[in-house]
Amino acid sequence: MSDDRRLDVLRAIVQDYVRTSEPVGSKSLLERHQLGVSAATVRNDMAVLEEEGLITAPHTSAGRVPTDAGYRLFVDRLQQIKPMTRAERTAIARFLDGAVDLDDVVSRTTRLLSSLTQQVAVMQYPSLSRSTVRHVELVPVGGTRLMIVLIVNTGRVEQRVVDVGRDLTLEPEVVAQLRALVNELTVGERLSIVAAGTAAIGDRVVPADRALAEVVLDALAVAADEQTEERIAMAGTGNLARVGSDFPTSLSQVLEALEEHVVLLRLMGSMASLDDASAVAVSIGAENPYEPLRTTSVVATTYGPAGGLGVVGPTRMDYPQAMATVRAVAHYVADILDG
């Protein structure tokens, strides 16, 4: 029973410190929470929590603040992520449904996450290498040029214009047959295996059209292997300025780390490797593998197999609210991109 009571005390300390940013003393705990025990018992529980490294005294005052380990235990012992209200879910859906293209989806998502959590919002653009083909269109654009349009399940559109060495505006039936064959073999397939999966196309076209098919396949392979699409979008870095005192080291180091998109891509990738697509990963303080971000916490999840999103902020974060918001927004983003 004492362990459960101490967990209640820790939970109360975390909640009060997140709300007030002031060290929490036993007197304020008794005033704000129905702990059902005496002041002496609360002080004893706080002493045990401090011995266990879950809370600490920032200075000589009687107040205590949670440590990274304390936040970790708090997060791990959450019985469940509190669901968002119907009004909150409706507002999210309405805001994101207004997006007109992928860039708008990403922009709206980061702005929404930042606004709802008051943290820095980070979103990875859908990765082509982890996307699947929705449709391939072949469009003669004059002379010997052919436009190849690759549309993937996340809504990304890649275009390539290639010289095929013949005027296909005069051969619409050839274009139609090749288009049908390419889509038959690629739709629903991961882009990472498209090149290998379409190698047999050359055997299914007449000899006179094999050179044409090879040009189209080469262009698709280039699109599938493209690496420059790995991008990150951010919003709300100004939120960190409001809580600059929460960072024991220079806030500028955190901001510089956030500008390193390679670091964020790796961070999103490592945290988004979740067995449960609806799970939310939380990395707290020193748990972060990148030194400049070890004064921050990251809450992230996936919005499907193609990318991740989340928020970055101080360890003094409202974890239940951030986790619920990240999960809800990811759900709506996945629905929009899969729709």
Side-chain angles (χ1 to χ4, degrees), residues 98-274:
V100 296
D101 56 23
L102 179 61
D103 286 333
D104 197 17
V105 169
V106 173
S107 175
R108 285 172 179 259
T109 299
T110 52
R111 285 186 287 128
L112 178 65
L113 267 178
S114 172
S115 174
L116 291 174
T117 64
Q118 294 299 297
Q119 311 294 348
V120 179
V122 181
M123 181 174 178
Q124 178 184 8
Y125 267 77
S127 170
L128 281 180
S129 62
R130 286 178 285 168
S131 302
T132 58
V133 178
R134 178 176 290 174
H135 182 70
V136 177
E137 187 60 57
L138 306 179
V139 184
V141 291
T144 59
R145 294 180 302 157
L146 178 71
M147 177 183 290
I148 303 169
V149 183
L150 172 64
I151 305 172
V152 299
N153 64 313
T154 57
R156 292 203 64 168
V157 178
E158 292 289 313
Q159 297 180 357
R160 297 287 188 279
V161 176
V162 296
D163 191 328
V164 297
R166 53 199 277 194
D167 188 352
L168 292 176
T169 59
L170 305 176
E171 302 178 86
E173 70 287 349
V174 172
V175 176
Q177 291 170 4
L178 184 57
R179 179 193 301 118
L181 184 56
V182 169
N183 279 283
E184 176 189 336
L185 296 179
T186 62
V187 170
E189 296 291 340
R190 289 279 290 270
L191 274 176
S192 56
I193 63 173
V194 160
T198 57
I201 287 183
D203 298 330
R204 295 179 58 177
V205 297
V206 298
D209 295 334
R210 284 178 183 167
L212 169 63
E214 289 178 0
V215 172
V216 172
L217 295 181
D218 287 344
L220 284 175
V222 169
D225 292 337
E226 184 65 62
Q227 297 300 312
T228 58
E229 86 283 352
E230 298 288 349
R231 291 190 288 157
I232 283 282
M234 273 193 310
T237 53
N239 287 327
L240 296 183
R242 297 184 301 99
V243 290
S245 59
D246 282 314
F247 299 96
T249 57
S250 172
L251 177 58
S252 64
Q253 294 179 358
V254 176
L255 294 173
E256 288 172 4
L258 292 176
E259 290 298 322
E260 293 291 337
H261 286 193
V262 172
V263 169
L264 290 178
L265 281 167
R266 290 175 181 169
L267 188 62
M268 287 286 106
S270 64
M271 295 189 64
S273 300
L274 304 170

Side-chain angles (χ1 to χ4, degrees), residues 1-12 35-38 40-42 44-46 48-49:
M1 181 65 70
S2 60
D3 287 345
D4 290 339
R5 189 186 65 236
R6 287 172 190 143
L7 182 60
D8 288 339
V9 172
L10 174 63
R11 184 181 298 111
L35 296 176
V37 294
S38 67
T41 298
V42 171
N44 181 66
D45 287 342
M46 291 179 69
V48 174
L49 291 172

